[in-house]
Amino acid sequence: MSWYPWLSGPYRQLTAQYLTGRGHHAVLMHAAAGIGDEALVYGLSRWLLCQHKDGEKSCGTCHSCQLMIAGNHPDWHILQPEKGKNSLGIDPVRQLIETLYNYSQQGGSKVVWIPHTELLTEAAANALLKTLEEPPAGTYFLLGCREPSALLATIRSRCFYWHLPVPEEALAVQWINRQLSADPVSIKTALHLTNGAPLSAIALLQPERWKQRVTLCQQLYAQCQQQDMLSLLPQLNHDDAPERLYWLATLLLDAIKWQQQAGQFIINHDQQPLIALLAGAQSGVSLQQSVSAWMHCRHQLLSIVGVNRELLLTEQLLEWEQMLRGTVSASIFSSALSR
């Protein structure tokens, strides 16, 4: 598994807690997608299972380390939903608990990794509680989550909360530059669009994906001038529509910042002409209403099963077009009155 330079500090801090006897048997690791928390969990798990630790390092040569490298350590348990399911039910949890109360197959520690703890059903979470509070000897739980607020308070209260922050921008830019060839403005924009997560930024900067975003921006620039927003439908009506709507919303938010003379805080650094155009096409109130409407549309796409995506997008584009024309008409009327 790949290692990332910004994980070294958190890894040392976590292992130091165990070396000094302050390590908790259940760590709730809060991390955004695209930071590489899976690599940190793997490294910590390997160290916990290592039979001949060398300080904060796993030895790499003992049988446990070799099993971890091969990816088939019998005492490293990963609990996640079955393929095609978006929740983790009670049966896998019960099976895991039964396994944990047996002896370690390698005679050492046992480590449980739940990558997305928020996917536990309420019944599954409740089934885990007692074991989480009083685990068998030598058992460690590493619980990953994106949104701690989605967890039961009883789960959170039994864990040591650990927040894994995004790396500093300079370090992230340096690492991305070693992975691919891209101009500095594009790298900065991709990082800001992904909330500073380098792995997500790398995925966005892949040529085909980046081209899709740039094409959407180009079409938005052209249609905004013509006030023909419905023509944007082919650019938005895709399986990844929620992400494309996120791109659109960030541009509208940047336009609000532009109006407020806060251009240094924009996200889409490579689209300043488009941002300036949007800022001039709608009032601040109108832009705020547009952002709210598009984010609500995005929420519907993500939360309503079987929603008619094309119809939903068409309706929103027509409403936006009417709002845009209304803003322009009001601007013309106001200019005429002032003469």
Side-chain angles (χ1 to χ4, degrees):
M1 184 174 288
S2 299
W3 188 255
Y4 309 106
W6 54 88
L7 298 179
S8 297
Y11 173 82
R12 286 193 294 266
Q13 292 172 3
L14 285 167
T15 53
Q17 290 186 359
Y18 290 104
L19 284 168
T20 56
R22 296 179 293 110
H24 201 281
H25 68 269
V27 176
L28 177 61
M29 188 175 296
H30 174 202
I35 300 181
D37 50 309
E38 299 91 346
L40 178 58
V41 169
Y42 171 83
L44 182 59
S45 299
R46 181 169 151 180
W47 182 83
L48 288 168
L49 292 166
C50 179
Q51 297 165 339
H52 303 293
K53 299 177 182 64
D54 180 15
E56 65 185 26
K57 298 179 181 178
S58 51
C59 70
T61 57
C62 70
H63 190 50
S64 280
C65 283
Q66 291 300 306
L67 287 170
M68 285 294 288
I69 292 170
N72 55 9
H73 198 298
D75 296 318
W76 190 42
H77 306 280
I78 303 175
L79 196 60
Q80 52 189 345
E82 296 177 6
K83 188 175 182 180
K85 294 186 177 180
N86 57 7
S87 65
L88 188 52
I90 192 171
D91 290 338
V93 172
R94 285 174 171 167
Q95 292 171 9
L96 171 68
I97 292 172
E98 184 178 345
T99 302
L100 293 177
Y101 278 96
N102 295 325
Y103 286 107
S104 164
Q105 293 194 37
Q106 292 300 307
S109 301
K110 289 167 283 188
V111 178
V112 177
W113 177 27
I114 307 179
H116 302 289
T117 312
E118 59 266 46
L119 297 183
L120 285 167
T121 63
E122 185 174 351
N126 285 325
L128 185 64
L129 282 176
K130 182 172 175 55
T131 306
L132 198 60
E133 185 172 12
E134 299 177 2
T139 301
Y140 299 93
F141 287 90
L142 303 176
L143 310 182
C145 73
R146 302 293 183 227
E147 292 292 339
S149 60
L151 300 177
L152 290 178
T154 46
I155 290 283
R156 297 198 304 269
S157 67
R158 285 160 172 77
C159 300
F160 171 71
Y161 174 81
W162 179 272
H163 178 241
L164 181 63
V166 296
E168 294 183 2
E169 186 171 306
L171 177 60
V173 168
Q174 185 181 47
W175 179 80
I176 291 173
N177 274 320
R178 291 199 297 266
Q179 311 305 313
L180 51 75
S181 176
D183 65 272
V185 175
S186 294
I187 291 175
K188 185 176 182 180
T189 299
L191 272 172
H192 287 188
L193 281 169
T194 56
N195 298 312
L199 304 185
S200 297
I202 284 280
L204 178 56
L205 284 166
Q206 295 305 309
E208 184 61 30
R209 191 61 175 154
W210 193 250
K211 182 181 177 182
Q212 291 169 355
R213 173 185 166 272
V214 171
T215 300
L216 173 60
C217 292
Q218 291 171 341
Q219 288 296 314
L220 178 57
Y221 189 93
Q223 304 313 324
C224 190
Q225 290 178 308
Q226 299 172 21
Q227 298 176 38
D228 180 17
M229 310 317 286
L230 188 58
S231 295
L232 287 173
L233 183 61
Q235 293 298 324
L236 297 176
N237 189 23
H238 294 268
D239 290 340
D240 64 343
E243 184 170 5
R244 296 183 184 225
L245 295 190
Y246 169 72
W247 295 342
L248 177 57
T250 63
L251 288 162
L252 294 171
L253 285 169
D254 281 345
I256 295 173
K257 297 172 190 174
W258 196 273
Q259 288 182 342
Q260 300 296 323
Q261 309 300 316
Q264 69 271 31
F265 299 111
I266 63 173
I267 293 174
N268 299 274
H269 297 272
D270 62 336
Q271 297 296 328
Q272 293 191 27
L274 171 57
I275 293 167
L277 178 64
L278 290 169
Q282 292 183 249
S283 67
V285 172
S286 177
L287 281 169
Q288 291 175 23
Q289 291 173 343
S290 295
V291 171
S292 179
W294 279 115
M295 291 307 291
H296 178 65
C297 179
R298 181 176 183 269
H299 176 72
Q300 289 178 296
L301 288 175
L302 290 170
S303 60
I304 301 176
V305 178
V307 66
N308 188 324
R309 184 179 65 210
E310 183 174 359
L311 182 61
L312 187 65
L313 292 171
T314 298
E315 181 181 12
Q316 187 56 47
L317 284 168
L318 287 173
E319 288 182 5
W320 192 22
E321 186 173 303
Q322 290 175 357
M323 183 184 294
L324 185 63
R325 288 178 175 175
T327 301
V328 172
S329 298
S331 177
I332 294 173
F333 180 69
S334 177
S335 296
L337 287 177
S338 64
R339 287 174 183 166

